[in-house]
Amino acid sequence: MTHKQLALTDWEFRACGEEKWFPAVVPGTVHTDLLRNGLIPKPFYGKNEHELQWIDKKDWEYRTILQLDEDWQSLTVTELNFAGLDTYADVYVNNVHALSADNMFLAWTVDVKGLMRAGENEILVKFRSAVKEDLPKLEHLGYDLPAPNDQSELGGLQEQRISVFARKAPYHYGWDWGPRFLTSGIWREAVLSGRDAAAIADVYIRQDEVKQASARVTAIVEVDTPETWAGTLRITAEGQEWNREVTLEPDKGTVELELVINQPRLWWCNGLGAPELTSFRAELLENGAAVAGAEVKTGLREIKLIRKPDAKGASFKFELNGVPVFAKGANHIPNDSFITEVTEERYRHEIASAAASNMNMLRVWGGGFYEEEDFYRLCDEYGLLVWQDFMFACSMYPGDEAFLANVQKEAAYNVKRLRNHPCIALWCGNNEIDSAWAQFEENKGWGWKEKLSAEIRETLWTAYEDIFHRILPEAVAAHHPGMEYWPSSPLRELTNDIDQHAVRIAGDGDVHYWGVWHGIEAFENYNVKVGRFMSEYGFQSFPELKSVLTYAEEKDMELESEVMLAHQKNGRGNQIIKEYMDIYLPEPKDFRSFLYLSQILQAEAMRMAIESHRRNKPYCMGTLYWQMNDCWPVASWAGMDYYGRWKALQYTARRSFKDVLLSVEAMDGEKLQVHAVSDLREALAAELVVRLHDFSGAVLKEWKQPVQLEADSSAVVFAVPMAELLGGSGADQVVLVASLLVDGALVERKEHYFAEAKELKLEQPALTVAEVPGSGGLSFTVSSDVLARGVYLTAEQEGIFSDNFFDLLPGEEKTVQFLRRGGVTAGAEAGGSAEAAASARLEAGGNDGARAGVEAAATGAGVVNGAKAGATGAGVMNGANAGAGAPDFTPAVPQGLEVRSMADYVK
């Protein structure tokens, strides 16, 4: 029994029609290969994006030469496997056409038994320009399909928006946070495989019923055998073994075997328990010896989307193993414009950052791609639920037979590829298309259909229903039974009438609220614009100075410079930031100060939104801000920039997503309320201390009272009339501090100001940093002589602080640690492009208590998580599951530590 496999990694490339070949990296893209060979400038620097649009107008070809020994000729099956081809490609084996590909999101396999020979063999892959391939489709269609994020003008195509015709990552055509780089290339691994025996092609562990007492699952094993085969299928897991005698006919077939595991180790999301993973091994036995085998790892859990009618509409909440989950997280976009530049270490940093930020869910947004295996594996290991969009966003799509057949194959392939991952909580058809089109309500949505004839409208809606109401839900039902399908985000409910579209906030479905930012509404509207599940909302900021300097020079340091506008993809985005800053914050003294204040502004907006959503629990049961990450260095909605550097938003999210939250709300200027929100699964007895301070730190008023936080609850725990609270104090001269203590230890604290930051009378603080005795320099305190707002710590190494962008009252000390990003050598810096970022890739390993370590270093935050961990395992951050290696965030002595505050950046 012989199985052979040869990874194809030695490639070269050139533009079709040219003579010279250049070395290529596979997996890779033509852009990164051109960059490595010095043939183009750094794509992300300055305005270079604009100068590189010629690349997608050319055809490109890749070739490899491989030597095969005589053994290959004796094998019954020889197959060439491409896990990903981007996008329109023809494959030739020894000058014979073997395969045509037309979908980036599919794997491609072709039988090459009759084409390969002993000795030298050539494999040639020709990539046709997506632009040249799809322009004729638009011309043939005769009318434009809505695709507002397609930056066709930048690509030299004027208004010819062709992104909808290719099954290719939509963001490659540009988005309102990303550049236009239409890549080509062999973007996932290429392998030649051969065998003369049966092989296990797929193992699916269908979870039929999972309870604490037992888990009933079915192992569905897909076997590919070149000839009739008889033997035993054996499944092993958790020290148990199951067997079935089988006879298999030639070609592919499936065998099912029911399994029962008593007292299963359940998979929980971050905050509810440990994300236990269970390995299942399938083997084909012949005369007692294994001739083929495969292993999959999954988590045993029951995940449901509960949409139950109530007095206010209908709920929209996830339930894991019978426990309601308040979803806390963000929207994930691709980590790079050039997908193959994203290493496992970069994925690990993102997922570890999400877990350390107390998140339990990421939404894989529909304008990117079905993510790499590393992403989902890490979400499994760190306990992050995944809301998974299919790859359709903000566009209307063709409905011809070939396009629909392509989508059908894509859906089946990707559902099957991802279905064993316990992190998958939901399959969603698309991003924003139902509400943008608004079929059943005129003059709503984005104004698309009103520009079209009745005939075209009917054609496009029929295509929409074919894809999102038939093909995609059928794929989920067939290949991932029991998993919920949601047709579009946002959506109220699939009613086929005016109540279907989420064009306004209602009492059902999920909501994308963009009144703040796109609608230029006040931040305070976050307090009233609350739906059942807030799956998008956001506010922009710039990355930090170190990141900006990777794409700009000193002469570019102006808000409206050509380079700053080239790295702002949302039209008036830079001016919108300034307009909001003028409302809420003091005037920055220069552009570098503007960068810092933009992050303070963004963080404050998101704090208000998150707190409002959590206060409204259980009416609202989810908050996913836009967005977690960036695909290039840019001003955007991200909380973590392209280089993985945490913005103020990321620290604010970590504080706002803690299991126990205090939120202070001023009710119409008449009354002040303190809300306590708990995501704990057990009640918590605590003491609430509310103090009113002047800016010298003096306590003007104080209240103390016991509070009982019920499990999984939100409640007002303190209220006082504003007149009584302030007395004769000026609103611009005092701050309220609410603290929650458990057994005398600080669990949560929140400051509340009575005037906007620009109206506060702040003095220049003298900030003092002192090493904590006995810490070896790993812990230090920060203190101030006067009120210091937005205290900002920086270090030369790549990493995060246990807390940052915090306020300090005079006389207080804040204990902080610097946590070096896993595996990074001191002083390592990321560069200004995909190439430079690759040179500074960061070695990472197991989580080793990322969240617990970060929380414990923050003021008192580890108390609740520590207590909870003892009861539910929530405080254990999957160190064993995440694998061996360096911790994600390692305490280190910060080199070049600098401490500033808002006063250093304002006039």
Side-chain angles (χ1 to χ4, degrees):
M1 305 294 178
T2 303
H3 294 262
K4 296 174 74 72
Q5 186 165 296
L6 179 63
L8 307 180
T9 58
D10 186 14
W11 294 80
E12 53 187 2
F13 83 110
R14 68 182 180 186
C16 291
E18 296 186 2
E19 291 186 9
K20 186 175 180 180
W21 292 90
F22 295 91
V25 173
V26 170
T29 73
V30 66
H31 288 74
T32 49
D33 284 332
L34 288 167
L35 180 62
R36 287 187 181 95
N37 283 278
L39 300 174
I40 60 171
K42 298 174 180 179
F44 294 163
Y45 190 78
K47 295 170 56 185
N48 287 348
E49 173 200 3
H50 300 230
E51 310 305 319
L52 299 178
Q53 296 303 309
W54 59 269
I55 297 172
D56 61 48
K57 314 302 187 298
K58 287 182 172 289
D59 299 335
W60 300 89
E61 57 187 356
Y62 283 70
R63 76 174 181 187
T64 185
I65 308 295
L66 59 153
Q67 298 286 333
L68 296 183
D69 57 36
E70 292 287 350
D71 291 350
W72 284 86
Q73 296 303 301
S74 64
L75 300 177
T76 309
V77 177
T78 305
E79 292 177 331
L80 183 58
N81 307 284
F82 290 98
L85 294 171
D86 177 16
T87 290
Y88 297 113
D90 290 290
V91 179
Y92 298 84
V93 177
N94 294 326
N95 296 316
V96 177
H97 184 268
L99 170 69
S100 289
D102 61 356
N103 190 322
M104 177 181 174
F105 306 128
L106 283 175
W108 301 90
T109 298
V110 60
D111 180 2
V112 292
K113 170 65 178 173
L115 301 179
M116 306 297 287
R117 55 186 177 233
E120 186 175 279
N121 293 265
E122 180 192 72
I123 298 174
L124 179 72
V125 185
K126 290 189 175 184
F127 291 96
R128 306 191 302 280
S129 160
V131 172
K132 293 191 293 185
E133 185 80 9
D134 288 336
L135 278 174
K137 297 177 186 175
L138 178 61
E139 183 178 356
H140 179 262
L141 187 65
Y143 55 86
D144 294 334
L145 293 174
N149 286 288
D150 183 330
Q151 297 174 18
S152 55
E153 292 88 352
L154 191 151
L157 304 180
Q158 289 70 53
E159 295 184 358
Q160 299 176 100
R161 309 195 193 285
I162 57 174
S163 56
V164 294
F165 295 103
R167 293 312 299 145
K168 173 176 174 58
Y171 83 109
H172 282 171
Y173 295 81
W175 217 265
D176 58 5
W177 37 256
R180 183 186 185 279
F181 288 119
L182 269 66
T183 57
S184 293
I186 305 169
W187 73 286
R188 282 179 172 155
E189 69 173 355
V191 173
L192 182 70
S193 61
R195 56 189 166 83
D196 58 9
I200 294 177
D202 184 60
V203 179
Y204 170 40
I205 305 301
R206 190 183 69 208
Q207 304 195 26
D208 303 317
E209 184 181 47
V210 177
K211 304 295 182 184
Q212 281 194 334
S214 68
R216 185 170 56 83
V217 305
T218 301
I220 302 174
V221 182
E222 183 177 309
V223 179
D224 191 352
T225 178
E227 56 189 16
T228 301
W229 185 87
T232 304
L233 170 65
R234 179 171 69 189
I235 307 291
T236 53
E238 300 289 271
Q240 294 180 253
E241 180 178 316
W242 299 265
N243 294 279
R244 178 180 172 182
E245 298 303 313
V246 296
T247 300
L248 302 170
E249 297 302 321
D251 209 353
K252 286 189 177 180
T254 59
V255 182
E256 298 188 7
L257 188 53
E258 292 187 1
L259 322 174
V260 175
I261 297 176
N262 293 320
Q263 302 299 317
R265 297 178 297 111
L266 298 182
W267 185 91
W268 293 96
C269 67
N270 191 25
L272 287 185
E276 299 284 0
L277 297 174
T278 303
S279 293
F280 292 81
R281 181 161 184 80
E283 292 175 300
L284 299 179
L285 306 181
E286 193 173 290
N287 298 322
V291 297
E295 186 170 307
V296 297
K297 187 179 288 186
T298 189
L300 299 175
R301 89 288 182 261
E302 179 186 67
I303 183 76
K304 293 180 179 179
L305 175 64
I306 308 297
R307 293 188 295 119
K308 183 179 180 181
D310 57 28
K312 297 181 178 180
S315 66
F316 193 105
K317 66 180 180 182
F318 291 93
E319 191 176 273
L320 179 63
N321 300 324
V323 177
V325 177
F326 188 98
K328 299 178 288 190
N331 287 261
H332 161 90
I333 66 168
N335 275 302
D336 208 296
S337 292
F338 308 113
I339 296 170
T340 54
E341 295 301 292
V342 185
T343 62
E344 195 269 354
E345 291 81 3
R346 287 175 69 182
Y347 277 123
R348 186 176 290 274
H349 178 64
E350 179 196 3
I351 302 308
S353 292
S357 300
N358 300 301
M359 295 182 180
N360 59 24
M361 177 176 278
L362 292 174
R363 174 181 174 229
V364 176
W365 164 80
F369 67 103
Y370 305 94
E371 269 290 359
E372 298 288 7
E373 176 65 19
D374 282 341
F375 174 87
Y376 300 102
R377 176 181 56 79
L378 289 164
C379 287
D380 292 343
E381 293 172 354
Y382 285 75
L384 293 180
L385 294 164
V386 171
W387 169 313
Q388 177 66 52
D389 282 5
F390 285 94
M391 291 304 118
F392 301 88
C394 303
S395 307
M396 296 300 283
Y397 291 87
D400 58 274
E401 186 176 336
F403 187 86
L404 296 181
N406 205 352
V407 169
Q408 191 169 34
K409 289 185 291 184
E410 170 190 321
Y413 170 74
N414 284 287
V415 171
K416 290 178 68 176
R417 182 172 76 90
L418 301 181
R419 61 188 176 181
N420 275 323
H421 288 284
C423 63
I424 300 292
L426 176 78
W427 285 97
C428 179
N430 67 70
N431 177 73
E432 297 185 338
I433 306 177
D434 182 272
S435 56
W437 183 260
Q439 170 72 7
F440 302 107
E441 190 167 3
E442 288 299 305
N443 300 312
K444 285 292 182 180
W446 297 2
W448 292 350
K449 65 182 185 294
E450 287 76 12
K451 301 174 184 177
L452 302 171
S453 69
E455 180 182 2
I456 292 174
R457 286 170 60 161
E458 182 179 356
T459 297
L460 294 186
W461 185 248
T462 298
Y464 179 92
E465 291 194 305
D466 279 340
I467 296 170
F468 303 109
H469 297 171
R470 179 177 62 83
I471 292 174
L472 299 186
E474 286 177 358
V476 174
H479 303 296
H480 202 173
M483 183 56 60
E484 188 78 20
Y485 172 80
W486 189 240
S488 182
S489 180
L491 184 78
R492 293 183 60 190
E493 188 177 0
L494 199 58
T495 60
N496 292 313
D497 60 25
I498 196 172
D499 293 329
Q500 177 168 311
H501 312 304
V503 294
R504 59 186 65 81
I505 295 179
D508 50 8
D510 71 312
V511 173
H512 292 192
Y513 171 59
W514 285 103
V516 176
W517 184 263
H518 290 302
I520 319 296
E521 296 177 15
F523 287 175
E524 289 73 18
N525 275 13
Y526 281 130
N527 292 321
V528 293
K529 300 294 182 74
V530 181
R532 305 309 290 255
F533 193 102
M534 306 300 291
S535 46
E536 271 195 33
Y537 58 94
F539 195 88
Q540 275 200 9
S541 74
F542 278 80
E544 65 181 75
L545 178 62
K546 182 160 56 173
S547 296
V548 171
L549 289 174
T550 66
Y551 64 81
E553 299 177 10
E554 193 61 43
K555 64 181 176 60
D556 304 315
M557 294 292 173
E558 296 179 10
L559 192 62
E560 298 289 302
S561 72
E562 289 187 352
V563 169
M564 290 304 153
L565 293 178
H567 287 255
Q568 167 57 266
K569 290 293 185 174
N570 188 227
R572 292 185 61 250
N574 290 356
Q575 284 300 322
I576 292 174
I577 296 173
K578 184 180 185 304
E579 289 168 14
Y580 275 98
M581 194 178 293
D582 289 344
I583 296 171
Y584 293 104
L585 295 181
E587 184 179 356
K589 62 184 182 182
D590 52 29
F591 181 69
R592 292 177 179 230
S593 300
F594 187 93
L595 301 179
Y596 161 86
L597 285 170
S598 76
Q599 293 198 17
I600 295 290
L601 185 69
Q602 178 191 37
E604 176 62 10
M606 295 299 91
R607 180 196 65 80
M608 291 181 68
I610 293 169
E611 289 189 15
S612 174
H613 303 159
R614 294 192 67 189
R615 287 197 306 266
N616 280 278
K617 168 183 171 176
Y619 176 82
C620 176
M621 283 298 288
T623 178
L624 308 177
Y625 64 80
W626 186 271
Q627 64 207 63
M628 180 71 190
N629 56 321
D630 272 327
C631 71
W632 74 320
V634 65
S636 81
W637 296 270
M640 191 173 78
D641 74 20
Y642 172 70
Y643 300 107
R645 295 164 183 157
W646 285 25
K647 296 183 181 179
L649 165 55
Q650 200 64 45
Y651 290 98
T652 295
R654 191 177 67 78
R655 291 191 288 264
S656 300
F657 284 153
K658 288 196 303 183
D659 289 332
V660 174
L661 171 77
L662 289 178
S663 178
V664 182
E665 183 181 22
M667 306 291 291
D668 300 321
E670 299 294 323
K671 182 173 67 173
L672 180 137
Q673 295 184 159
V674 177
H675 299 252
V677 182
S678 174
D679 289 341
L680 298 174
R681 294 172 63 186
E682 55 274 332
L684 186 70
E687 181 186 33
L688 177 70
V689 179
V690 179
R691 294 189 176 105
L692 185 71
H693 296 261
D694 64 22
F695 290 170
S696 72
V699 177
L700 305 179
K701 294 185 179 180
E702 180 180 73
W703 294 263
K704 292 184 178 182
Q705 64 185 56
V707 294
Q708 179 77 9
L709 276 62
E710 299 302 323
D712 196 22
S713 66
S714 174
V716 174
V717 293
F718 177 82
V720 62
M722 198 69 78
E724 176 185 340
L725 174 64
L726 291 178
S729 301
D732 61 347
Q733 297 174 353
V734 291
V735 56
L736 182 136
V737 178
S739 302
L740 196 68
L741 294 90
V742 175
D743 297 329
L746 183 65
V747 167
E748 164 67 337
R749 165 187 165 128
K750 187 60 53 66
E751 298 93 5
H752 176 79
Y753 298 89
F754 299 88
E756 302 300 347
K758 71 174 185 178
E759 299 168 357
L760 300 183
K761 299 174 181 178
L762 298 179
E763 300 178 42
Q764 179 69 47
L767 295 168
T768 302
V769 177
E771 180 180 324
V772 173
S775 71
L778 297 180
S779 296
F780 52 93
T781 60
V782 184
S783 59
S784 176
D785 61 336
V786 298
L787 174 66
R789 297 213 61 189
V791 175
Y792 177 36
L793 310 173
T794 60
E796 294 173 358
Q797 306 108 303
E798 294 294 339
I800 65 173
F801 289 88
S802 57
D803 203 2
N804 209 347
F805 298 94
F806 51 81
D807 291 358
L808 270 178
L809 267 68
E812 293 183 339
E813 286 188 345
K814 180 83 167 180
T815 301
V816 183
Q817 279 190 332
F818 175 71
L819 301 157
R820 184 170 55 84
R821 184 169 164 176
V824 182
T825 56
E829 301 292 336
S833 68
E835 179 189 44
S839 69
R841 283 175 181 161
L842 305 173
E843 178 187 347
N847 186 295
D848 198 25
R851 177 184 175 204
V854 175
E855 290 283 8
T859 305
V863 175
V864 168
N865 291 324
K868 183 181 174 188
T872 67
V876 179
M877 269 308 298
N878 321 333
N881 289 329
D888 301 311
F889 301 112
T890 308
V893 177
Q895 304 299 314
L897 176 67
E898 294 187 3
V899 185
R900 300 181 180 86
S901 72
M902 187 183 296
D904 294 301
Y905 295 96
V906 300
K907 291 186 175 179

